[in-house]
Amino acid sequence: QVQLVESGGGLVQPGGSLRLSCVVSGRIFSINALGWYRQAPGKQRERVATITTGGSTTYADSVKGRFTISRDVAKNTVYLHMNSLKPEDTAVYYCNAVPPYIPWGQGTQVTVSS
């Protein structure tokens, strides 16, 4: 069974940066693509970035040009580099397969506020 552990969130001012990490353990060879998702209070969970086993990446329009997804295969870790953060980026961030079939981790809270 695959397990996901997210970390790296925190409180940051508008315009700031954060790097989120997601350690993937278990039967990782079965995963074709991984993504970062976020859920803001009162809103549905949305996928903001995807990376495939071939290294291709895609982004939601709301984060394009500001967020970058990357991975370290040796460490079984996927990252989300977030720059030029805005208050509307405030959410709990999760990683999961695309589509998401792995049990969700605890997520990591990102709060963008002055």
Side-chain angles (χ1 to χ4, degrees):
Q1 182 175 351
V2 180
Q3 293 182 321
L4 308 166
V5 179
E6 302 94 346
S7 63
L11 173 63
V12 63
Q13 292 186 342
S17 299
L18 282 174
R19 188 186 77 164
L20 307 184
S21 300
C22 172
V23 177
V24 185
S25 60
R27 296 170 60 89
I28 60 174
F29 60 84
S30 63
I31 303 173
N32 291 322
L34 281 166
W36 279 98
Y37 300 75
R38 69 184 181 186
Q39 187 167 22
K43 295 188 177 181
Q44 288 190 334
R45 193 171 301 181
E46 63 171 342
R47 177 160 46 95
V48 297
T50 305
I51 187 164
T52 68
T53 51
S56 298
T57 59
T58 56
Y59 300 92
D61 287 343
S62 59
V63 307
K64 200 172 294 183
R66 301 187 298 121
F67 290 10
T68 302
I69 188 170
S70 65
R71 62 183 182 176
D72 185 329
V73 176
K75 294 183 179 179
N76 292 337
T77 302
V78 178
Y79 303 99
L80 187 66
H81 307 258
M82 306 187 295
N83 297 317
S84 302
L85 283 161
K86 304 175 181 180
E88 51 263 44
D89 295 319
T90 295
V92 180
Y93 284 72
Y94 305 84
C95 63
N96 209 312
V98 179
Y101 64 85
I102 302 169
W104 294 95
Q106 82 287 351
T108 186
Q109 174 72 48
V110 172
T111 303
V112 184
S113 175
S114 55

